[in-house]
Amino acid sequence: MIGGGQLARMTHQAAIALGQTLRVLATAPDESAAQVTSDVVIGSHTDLDALRRAADGAAVLTFDHEHVPTEHLEKLVAEGVAVAPPPAALVHAQDKLLMRTKLQAIGAPVPRFAAIGSVADIEEFVRQIGGPVVIKTVRGGYDGKGVMMADDVAQARGIVERYLADGVALLAEERVEMRRELAALVARSPFGQGAAWPVVETVQRDGICVEAYAPAPGLSEELRVEAQQLGLRLAAELGVVGVLAVELFETVDGMLLVNELAMRPHNSGHWTMNGSVTSQFEQHLRAVLDYPLGDTAAIASAVAMANVLGAPETPQMSMDERLHHLFARIPDAKVHLYGKGERPGRKLGHVNVLGSDMDEVRERAVRAAHWLSHGVWTDGWDPHR
């Protein structure tokens, strides 16, 4: 697996149960996955020789992020390395303009967009839209990075001037009037078997997914089926092998629009570690190893996931002690920590809570994650009183 972050760490956990050894290409020995696997190659994902060392003798090469240069992956394929998802598919998760153009060509619903190569381009696009726009870097960017909001043509002009001066390729999209964000998580094997999990509602804050609810509360059967079928169709059309996350906007008028694609395990699927028959991490391995795919059914009628994010000020209480108090109060909380040092806004882990009532599991998951982040109970609870 190229990348040593938390996705590789959790994929390693699934690999153990399947009798597999996960080799990780990490940039440093203290990265999340490098802490827990014995087979680590230290190097950069932009270094072809490091990629070759990671791929040497492996059954398949896969990813915990999309940022490996396409030309490097094509060379590995030419050298006989099995790459999943293949570079011809992965490029659609790397290049947002290519992704938008391809999805539009195959009839998938997307916001109106345009390539931006000059100030005149953004001025014309804002005039066409007649409202606020979103300006994105074509490559790079994640968790809200590389995404800028512009309310009017003056703001848009300033953003474009700044980025184009640095030689950064841009595209612009209309800012969608949405009811909420959803995610359709699917998997596809090399011979075309597909599987879809329940559609989830995601909550974004500062561009970061902070919560996910499975199944999405109040989602109509029509939109649920549409979202799942869209995910499976895109996986097939693009030739994805492995997990595909399709981030969606549910608009105020009841339509679905594709926002982003990720061809790897995804934050919106962390709930599956405890809430689904087959987790996204096991499923990704099944897919890339060409095993039959697993059952994606939820094992509870309501599952809530909340991310543990680094607080503005690190609590004096250690994380170990915070865990102690959390388990004393919410013994059924399922905690997954990533082995990271605490700093503001950093993804440190996540909490899953299962139950029968979404409002109740949501409240407990969010409360648990806030406690682990801040060392403060949102309701002022004190175990010593």
Side-chain angles (χ1 to χ4, degrees):
M1 187 164 248
I2 304 306
Q6 64 263 23
L7 299 180
R9 182 186 180 103
M10 291 181 278
T11 304
H12 173 69
Q13 294 173 252
I16 292 170
L18 298 183
Q20 299 292 331
T21 299
L22 187 75
R23 178 181 298 149
V24 171
L25 177 64
T27 58
D30 62 349
E31 280 197 283
S32 291
Q35 296 172 20
V36 297
T37 180
S38 61
D39 196 350
V40 182
V41 174
I42 302 299
S44 170
H45 62 272
T46 61
D47 182 344
L48 180 57
D49 287 336
L51 294 170
R52 285 182 172 128
R53 283 186 284 124
D56 184 31
V60 63
L61 189 77
T62 190
F63 312 93
D64 99 332
H65 63 74
E66 292 96 350
H67 305 307
V68 181
T70 305
E71 59 271 21
H72 288 358
L73 296 178
E74 289 172 343
K75 288 180 181 177
L76 292 177
V77 170
E79 294 168 6
V81 176
V83 176
L90 187 65
V91 69
H92 295 96
Q94 298 172 322
D95 187 309
K96 295 181 177 66
L97 181 58
L98 181 66
M99 179 265 289
R100 281 279 180 262
T101 304
K102 176 67 172 180
L103 295 188
Q104 185 180 65
I106 63 177
V110 295
R112 288 179 288 175
F113 70 95
I116 303 300
S118 67
V119 171
D121 288 341
I122 192 61
E123 291 174 342
E124 175 60 24
F125 185 71
V126 172
R127 279 193 291 270
Q128 289 177 5
I129 297 300
V133 299
V134 182
I135 301 169
K136 298 180 177 181
T137 57
V138 170
R139 282 184 172 262
Y142 62 95
D143 285 347
K145 299 177 177 67
V147 177
M148 293 73 63
M149 305 294 178
D151 294 324
D152 53 41
V153 69
Q155 286 185 353
R157 187 186 299 117
I159 293 168
V160 167
E161 286 176 344
R162 184 167 68 253
Y163 276 84
L164 291 184
D166 292 333
V168 178
L170 298 172
L171 77 155
E173 301 174 355
E174 65 177 318
R175 196 185 304 178
V176 175
E177 290 188 44
M178 64 177 177
R179 178 185 172 212
R180 58 180 171 174
E181 295 191 54
L182 303 172
L185 194 73
V186 303
R188 182 176 179 272
S189 70
F191 70 89
Q193 184 188 11
W197 283 271
V199 178
V200 304
E201 177 180 347
T202 63
V203 178
Q204 314 290 324
R205 189 175 303 128
D206 298 325
I208 298 174
C209 176
V210 294
E211 297 158 28
Y213 311 128
L219 185 67
S220 70
E221 179 68 6
E222 180 183 6
L223 284 186
R224 179 193 68 79
V225 171
E226 181 182 340
Q228 289 180 314
Q229 290 182 344
L230 176 61
L232 291 168
R233 180 165 76 90
L234 293 183
E237 294 262 12
L238 300 177
V240 174
V241 174
V243 166
L244 169 68
V246 182
E247 298 179 38
L248 298 162
F249 296 134
E250 181 185 355
T251 67
V252 293
D253 55 358
M255 304 288 288
L256 294 179
L257 296 175
V258 178
N259 177 27
E260 301 281 358
L261 301 178
M263 296 182 191
R264 51 171 171 76
H266 190 256
N267 204 154
S268 67
H270 288 349
W271 70 274
T272 64
M273 295 181 75
N274 306 105
S276 174
V277 175
T278 307
S279 79
Q280 65 166 342
F281 300 100
E282 179 184 337
Q283 193 81 297
H284 186 72
L285 289 173
R286 287 197 190 202
V288 303
L289 292 169
D290 206 8
Y291 293 166
L293 300 182
D295 187 348
T296 53
I299 61 175
S301 55
V303 185
M305 184 284 301
N307 272 333
V308 179
L309 303 177
E313 293 186 12
T314 301
Q316 291 186 347
M317 184 187 298
S318 70
M319 182 63 80
D320 182 67
E321 190 174 354
R322 279 173 264 164
L323 271 175
H324 177 99
H325 288 293
L326 171 63
F327 290 148
R329 187 178 188 191
I330 311 177
D332 62 328
K334 306 302 291 184
V335 177
H336 304 270
L337 296 176
Y338 305 153
K340 294 182 176 181
E342 297 183 58
R343 67 170 185 246
R346 192 181 200 190
K347 289 181 181 177
L348 306 176
H350 67 274
V351 179
N352 291 331
V353 177
L354 286 65
S356 58
D357 181 83
M358 184 60 79
D359 289 338
E360 188 266 339
V361 298
R362 175 194 289 125
E363 187 274 335
R364 289 197 295 141
V366 171
R367 176 170 290 170
H370 186 277
W371 165 254
L372 290 177
S373 295
H374 300 266
V376 175
W377 291 108
T378 53
D379 60 352
W381 186 75
D382 184 348
H384 302 297
R385 283 207 300 260

